[in-house]
């Protein structure tokens, strides 16, 4: 009997890429490939790249070169690039990086097994040819669903898993195979984006916005819960637009309570919300539905009106602060995070001061700050009033220092709060770590529990915040909560 072909998936970038990698893993396993964790143990290393900003693209190239080095030392025979950078640059990436044995776009995902087999056998598969994916679907959102079947949409896979991939019992889900044992998993709510922010190239290579059907999202969530997942995070380029192409812009408000009722699930989290599209009903559901985290990942980007207009965005400091007041009036403990760009073309000192005024008043739990850099193919790249690189760097350092101080202060405000912590790691030396409702994976800090007696990964624990370490919290499990966890573990 021939030895099974082995493949490793190396994932860079955002949670959406993680979902795409698990879909690729499901397709490959269903076709007989053996999945391995370490690229050195794989016949083929598949690198799921990120193509969003320059730093992410560099990380993707480094990962491809690192995987290529394995061909001289281990089992690895081929290195293949997939993901956003491969989709965005295609042939250009293949020519610039001959170390990659294949560069595959989203259109290749449905045939990923055949593509890898061809490359592994020494054949050549023509590098992906990039195209503007916004043109693949109708301009009108109402007409998109009928055309969606003919367009490759990673993370929107087929409705039923092949026999042997999903559990024999329970609902079927889109083709997906978990790549780790984490109690947290992301679920795609939609793909693409209809917004035209002047600094962002994502719509050109991810396409126009298209929602997944609620039944698909529910089935995938049920399947993940069967795998032991306790928290799902709904991801897309813009969750606030969910349902607009299905005839109901308020579809998220009705879907969230249904997701929260899935057996075995402890928490539902929504990411990627557009401030300009927030509506009272959505705020109500996010702040009052049991098991739905009162968590607001709001994409502010800036708060000076002139800069926002140049970004093709809307709002200002006072309107943003009013939105936050509305949220906290309904849920004082709500978590809020955001990202910001400094040094945008035309940004003045008074614009920067306005952003600092917003940050000082916003009381955000987590803040990401990025210095502006041109992204090819974007409107902002054509702007004339660019700031010098050293000015951008100085402003980045200045606002980053402020952000670090402010998130530490916000963490201190939580002293004495009772938080529900999902345990994510238990280690004899490093202790027990998890996350509270206001903390998303990877980006928002974590909670160190002062006692780990009877706790295991996946447990939900009530704890009192007794200390802080920057953005992180230190919390003491409540006696009753530990007893319940110990009983559940028996």
């Amino acid at each position: 009997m021939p030895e099974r072909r082995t493949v490793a998936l190396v994932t860079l970038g955002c949670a959406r890429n993680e979902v795409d990698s698990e879909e690729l893993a499901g397709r490959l396993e269903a076709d007989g490939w053996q999945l391995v964790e370490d690229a050195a143990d794989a016949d083929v290393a598949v690198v799921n790249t990120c193509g969003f900003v320059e730093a992410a693209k560099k990380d993707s190239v480094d990962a491809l070169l690192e995987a290529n080095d394995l061909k001289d030392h281990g089992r690895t025979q081929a290195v293949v690039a997939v993901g956003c950078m491969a989709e965005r640059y295609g042939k250009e990436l293949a020519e610039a990086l001959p170390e990659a044995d294949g560069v595959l776009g989203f259109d290749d995902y449905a045939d990923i097994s055949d593509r890898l087999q061809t490359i592994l056998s020494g054949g050549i598969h023509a590098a992906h040819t990039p195209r503007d994916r916004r043109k693949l679907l109708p301009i009108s959102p109402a007409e998109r669903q009928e055309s969606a079947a003919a367009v490759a949409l990673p993370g929107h896979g087929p409705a039923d898993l092949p026999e042997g991939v999903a559990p024999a019992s329970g609902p079927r889900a889109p083709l997906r195979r978990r790549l780790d044992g984490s109690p947290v998993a992301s679920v795609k709510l939609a793909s693409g984006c209809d917004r035209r922010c002047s600094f962002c190239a994502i719509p050109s290579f991810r396409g126009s916005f298209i929602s997944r059907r609620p039944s698909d999202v529910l089935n995938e969530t049920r399947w993940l819960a069967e795998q032991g997942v306790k928290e799902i995070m709904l991801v897309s380029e813009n969750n606030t637009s969910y349902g607009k192409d299905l005839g109901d812009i308020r579809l998220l408000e009705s879907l969230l309570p249904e997701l929260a009722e899935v057996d075995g699930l402890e928490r539902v989290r929504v990411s990627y919300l557009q401030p300009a599209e927030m509506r009272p009903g959505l705020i109500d559901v996010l702040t009052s539905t049991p098991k739905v985290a009162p968590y607001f990942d709001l994409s502010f980007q800036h708060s000076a009106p002139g800069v926002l207009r140049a970004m093709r965005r809307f709002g200002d400091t006072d309107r943003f602060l009013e939105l936050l007041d509305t949220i906290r009036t309904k849920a004082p403990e709500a978590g809020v995070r955001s990202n910001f760009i400094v040094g945008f073309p035309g940004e003045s000192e008074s614009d920067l001061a306005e952003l600092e005024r917003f940050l000082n008043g916003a009381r955000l739990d987590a803040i990401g700050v990025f210095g502006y850099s041109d992204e090819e193919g974007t409107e902002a790249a054509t702007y004339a009033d660019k700031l010098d690189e050293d000015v951008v760097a100085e402003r980045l350092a200045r606002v980053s220092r402020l952000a670090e101080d402010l998130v530490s202060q916000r963490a201190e405000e939580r002293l004495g709060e009772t938080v529900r912590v999902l345990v994510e790691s238990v280690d004899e030396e490093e202790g027990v770590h998890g996350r509270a409702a206001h903390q998303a994976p990877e980006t928002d800090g974590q909670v160190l529990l002062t006692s780990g007696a009877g706790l295991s990964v996946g447990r939900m624990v009530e704890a009192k915040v007794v200390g802080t370490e920057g953005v992180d919290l230190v919390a003491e499990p409540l006696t009753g909560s530990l007893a319940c966890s110990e009983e559940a573990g028996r």
Side-chain angles (χ1 to χ4, degrees):
M1 183 175 179
E3 188 176 5
R4 292 184 71 187
R5 303 161 296 177
T6 57
V7 59
L9 286 131
V10 180
T11 307
L12 294 94
C14 65
R16 300 185 293 276
N17 256 16
E18 294 172 8
V19 176
D20 294 350
S21 285
E22 293 196 348
E23 179 189 302
L24 291 174
R27 291 182 182 277
L28 289 166
E29 188 171 70
D31 203 45
W33 290 77
Q34 179 181 348
L35 296 160
V36 296
E37 289 187 17
D38 192 338
D41 298 327
D43 296 318
V44 183
V46 177
V47 180
N48 192 347
T49 61
C50 178
F52 181 38
V53 294
E54 202 60 41
K57 287 182 278 189
K58 182 182 183 302
D59 289 343
S60 295
V61 170
D62 289 345
L64 287 163
L65 293 174
E66 184 178 338
N68 182 69
D69 289 342
L70 297 174
K71 289 191 285 189
D72 296 328
H73 308 293
R75 173 171 179 158
T76 309
Q77 301 173 52
V79 176
V80 176
V82 299
C84 290
M85 189 175 181
E87 174 65 37
R88 183 176 181 183
Y89 295 104
K91 290 182 177 180
E92 182 182 342
L93 176 62
E95 292 170 0
L97 198 71
E99 291 85 353
D101 299 286
V103 176
L104 307 180
F106 298 149
D107 293 335
D108 292 306
Y109 282 21
D111 301 308
I112 187 67
S113 179
D114 290 343
R115 299 288 186 267
L116 296 192
Q117 185 58 58
T118 296
I119 294 168
L120 185 60
S121 300
I124 297 175
H125 179 73
H128 161 69
T129 301
R131 53 181 172 170
D132 189 338
R133 298 191 72 85
R134 290 172 293 191
K135 298 178 181 179
L136 301 183
L137 291 168
I139 294 176
S140 170
E143 299 174 3
R144 289 178 190 164
Q145 290 290 328
E146 293 181 4
S147 306
V151 178
L153 296 168
H156 292 228
D160 293 328
L161 283 164
E163 199 65 36
V165 179
S169 63
R172 295 302 192 216
L175 193 55
R176 179 171 183 172
R177 197 268 203 187
R178 301 284 334 267
L179 291 174
D180 60 39
S182 170
V184 184
S186 295
V187 175
K188 273 203 178 178
L189 198 59
S191 290
C193 186
D194 287 342
R195 302 186 71 86
R196 294 295 179 263
C197 300
S198 63
F199 55 84
C200 183
I202 288 177
S204 66
F205 57 85
R206 276 290 183 178
S208 299
F209 184 90
I210 187 161
S211 305
R212 294 181 68 195
R213 295 193 176 278
S215 58
D216 289 339
V217 177
L218 274 165
N219 280 344
E220 183 170 354
T221 298
R222 290 175 183 135
W223 181 77
L224 288 167
E226 282 193 345
Q227 310 302 300
V229 169
K230 299 300 180 183
E231 175 181 326
I232 64 161
M233 184 165 73
L234 299 176
V235 299
S236 76
E237 279 72 19
N238 178 10
N239 282 333
T240 31
S241 283
Y242 180 67
K244 72 176 186 179
D245 52 321
L246 294 171
D248 185 1
I249 190 60
R250 294 176 176 79
L251 195 55
L252 184 55
E253 286 92 309
S254 58
L255 177 60
L256 285 172
E258 292 185 73
L259 291 170
E261 292 176 0
V262 170
D263 288 343
L265 208 60
E266 293 287 347
R267 181 182 289 156
V268 178
R269 185 183 304 278
V270 183
S271 62
Y272 306 114
L273 300 169
Q274 285 290 341
E277 296 181 30
M278 289 301 294
R279 47 196 179 268
L282 181 55
I283 295 173
D284 288 342
V285 171
L286 287 170
T287 55
S288 65
T289 307
K291 294 190 178 181
V292 173
Y295 176 79
F296 294 81
D297 177 8
L298 294 163
S299 177
F300 289 120
Q301 300 298 345
H302 212 283
S303 73
V307 176
L308 286 169
R309 300 305 175 269
M311 290 179 169
R312 303 296 182 198
R313 297 177 67 85
F314 307 94
D316 55 49
T317 295
D318 293 334
R319 284 158 66 180
F320 289 163
L321 291 176
E322 183 180 345
L323 171 60
L324 295 177
D325 286 343
T326 299
I327 290 168
R328 291 180 174 131
T329 296
K330 296 177 181 294
E333 78 287 0
V336 186
R337 68 129 25 242
S338 191
N339 293 324
F340 299 88
I341 297 174
V342 298
F344 194 79
E347 180 190 64
S348 65
E349 275 291 342
S350 61
D351 291 329
L352 193 67
E354 184 68 2
L355 174 58
E356 291 172 326
R357 181 171 81 89
F358 171 70
L359 291 173
N360 277 296
R363 296 170 53 231
L364 301 177
D365 291 277
I367 301 171
V369 187
F370 302 88
Y372 173 81
S373 62
D374 284 340
E375 276 297 308
E376 58 190 283
T378 63
E379 180 184 356
T382 69
Y383 289 176
D385 47 354
K386 304 281 177 56
L387 277 64
D388 290 340
E389 288 186 7
D390 57 343
V391 174
V392 175
E394 186 278 326
R395 292 184 179 185
L396 174 61
R398 169 178 156 184
V399 177
S400 295
R401 288 193 298 269
L402 174 63
E404 186 175 345
D405 290 342
L406 291 174
V407 297
S408 295
Q409 292 173 23
R410 177 61 181 138
E412 290 172 0
E413 290 179 20
R414 293 191 180 275
L415 287 169
E417 277 189 15
T418 297
V419 292
R420 296 188 75 229
V421 180
L422 176 62
V423 177
E424 292 188 311
S425 67
V426 178
D427 185 275
E428 287 187 8
E429 294 184 3
E430 297 184 4
V432 179
H433 289 86
R435 288 177 301 100
H438 70 281
Q439 297 168 317
E442 307 294 335
T443 59
D444 300 346
Q446 58 185 348
V447 179
L448 170 65
L449 294 173
T450 59
S451 172
L455 294 180
S456 59
V457 172
R459 298 294 182 203
M460 190 70 82
V461 182
E462 298 276 339
K464 181 179 179 180
V465 180
V466 296
T468 66
E469 296 177 0
V471 70
D472 298 328
L473 304 180
V474 178
E476 179 181 331
L478 300 179
T479 304
S481 178
L482 275 177
C484 290
S485 292
E486 289 172 0
E487 184 64 29
R490 293 193 182 107

